[in-house]
Amino acid sequence: MTVRHLLNIVDLSVDELALIGDLSDRSIDDLGRPLAGGVALIFEKPSNRTRQSMEMAVVQLGGHPVYTRGEEVGLDTRESVEDVIQILEGYHVMVAARVFSHGVVDRMAALSTVPVINMLSDWSHPLQALADVRTMRHEFGALSGRSVAWVGDYNNVARSLGEVCMMSGMSVRFACPDGFQPSRAECDRLSQLGPGDVASTDDPAEAVTGADAVHTDTWVSMGQEDEVEERRNIFADYSVTDGLMSLAADGAIFMHCLPAYRGYEVAASVIDGPASRVIRQGHDRMHAARGALAFLGGVR
Ligand code: CP
Ligand code: NVA
């Protein structure tokens, strides 16, 4: 049997995405204890939500998480990615990694006899997207026909969100400055994932007008710290403010994967205000992770 990995949302079919949603809703008792063994969690970058939610999800499913910092493993410095994964697959029922370069999780998956899970790379953040869609489903019920606006950098979180929204029947509008927008080819790729529309603009007001959910993320992702000043200048007009939120649909919600930088990508009055769902979104990370791990563990 081919081993399944979760490196990107598009590794899943639309039906499997729905199944992970259902598994996330099921009680821990109902899921049983499908993870009889260890799960390696390797982090080349810091984390709060991803580490905590994955450790708890593994425990809830009967497995044993082993957290290791990237510098201790030394992927491609202390030893090759290929040696690391061939050793870990002998100890664990799954291997999860947060990496700088997406190519590292690709190389792990190419060799691994156990599922490999991407816990954030420079390319994508599928576990975040599974939680995001859960939060929106809780808010809106059926997502088909709903619309999401993304304001800021077309980054790892934006790509996975775009994929999950399109596969859920939503439309997506990206507002990003020149040089930080999804390419035409990327918009075409996304639009083929579902019946909704994909649009890209440099105008936040255009993207947000009428949107049901407004999402953003830091302007400076992990690994880009040298670019802080430059990025703060480039993105200065891409802050989600009360004025911008007032253009969204009635009852629109604000979402952010966190960590957030108040006064930059979002005003404190928005992220701490009544439209914000960021705490629920953070909590949904654990339920979504449990659903994803149960799916990869063979629960149906
Ligand atoms: N949203 C998210 O992945 O948070 P952490 O970096 O804290 O894991
Ligand atoms: N885009 C951010 C997300 C953090 C959870 C980063 O990659 O740092």
Side-chain angles (χ1 to χ4, degrees), residues 45 49-50 98 120-122 125 128 150 153 155-158 217-218 220-225 257-259 285:
K45 306 178 186 180
R49 281 147 291 276
T50 307
R98 167 168 284 197
L120 180 148
S121 68
D122 55 344
H125 197 1
Q128 181 67 52
W150 173 273
D153 189 10
N155 62 11
N156 44 8
V157 173
D217 183 14
T218 180
V220 187
S221 284
M222 291 179 274
Q224 298 172 335
E225 289 78 5
C257 62
L258 304 179
R285 290 292 308 273

Side-chain angles (χ1 to χ4, degrees), residues 18 45 59 77 85 102 109 115 117 119 138 151 156 167 173 181 189 205 209 221 241 244 249 262:
K45 306 178 186 180
V59 168
T77 53
I85 190 67
H102 190 81
I117 300 150
M119 296 193 293
H138 176 261
V151 180
N156 44 8
M167 288 171 67
R173 298 195 291 269
Q181 295 173 355
R189 183 185 72 85
T209 298
S221 284
T241 58
L244 194 61
R262 288 165 174 77

Side-chain angles (χ1 to χ4, degrees), residues 74-299:
L75 293 169
D76 279 342
T77 53
R78 187 164 181 269
E79 55 185 322
S80 72
V81 168
E82 285 72 19
D83 283 355
V84 169
I85 190 67
Q86 288 181 92
I87 293 298
L88 292 179
E89 70 185 4
Y91 305 154
H92 295 288
V93 296
M94 292 180 194
V95 174
R98 167 168 284 197
V99 296
F100 284 100
S101 167
H102 190 81
V104 169
V105 283
D106 276 338
R107 284 163 60 200
M108 287 180 170
L111 271 185
S112 183
T113 55
V114 300
V116 174
I117 300 150
N118 173 14
M119 296 193 293
L120 180 148
S121 68
D122 55 344
W123 177 258
S124 61
H125 197 1
L127 293 171
Q128 181 67 52
L130 293 174
D132 295 349
V133 84
R134 187 173 205 274
T135 307
M136 290 190 285
R137 226 179 29 245
H138 176 261
E139 192 72 29
F140 301 126
L143 293 181
S144 186
R146 295 281 183 174
S147 63
V148 158
W150 173 273
V151 180
D153 189 10
Y154 186 69
N155 62 11
N156 44 8
V157 173
R159 179 173 289 103
S160 294
L161 180 69
E163 291 176 358
V164 89
C165 288
M166 291 306 293
M167 288 171 67
S168 304
M170 305 177 85
S171 290
V172 191
R173 298 195 291 269
F174 299 102
C176 319
D178 248 4
F180 298 85
Q181 295 173 355
S183 66
R184 181 72 184 269
E186 178 69 349
C187 290
D188 288 347
R189 183 185 72 85
L190 290 175
S191 70
Q192 281 160 24
L193 297 177
D197 298 324
V198 178
S200 179
T201 172
D202 62 2
D203 180 1
E206 186 183 329
V208 166
T209 298
D212 294 302
V214 179
H215 290 241
T216 189
D217 183 14
T218 180
W219 296 335
V220 187
S221 284
M222 291 179 274
Q224 298 172 335
E225 289 78 5
D226 290 351
E227 303 168 32
V228 174
E229 288 316 316
E230 186 190 344
R231 283 177 166 267
R232 283 184 177 167
N233 285 329
I234 292 168
F235 287 94
D237 294 334
Y238 291 79
S239 199
V240 180
T241 58
D242 289 302
L244 194 61
M245 282 301 292
S246 73
L247 301 175
D250 283 348
I253 59 171
F254 171 77
M255 296 180 63
H256 189 310
C257 62
L258 304 179
Y261 300 88
R262 288 165 174 77
Y264 294 98
E265 74 271 13
V266 59
S269 53
V270 172
I271 194 169
D272 300 321
S276 179
R277 295 294 179 275
V278 301
I279 302 303
R280 180 182 175 103
Q281 184 183 359
H283 291 166
D284 277 338
R285 290 292 308 273
M286 183 176 71
H287 306 297
R290 192 174 61 247
L293 294 177
F295 168 76
L296 292 171
V299 181

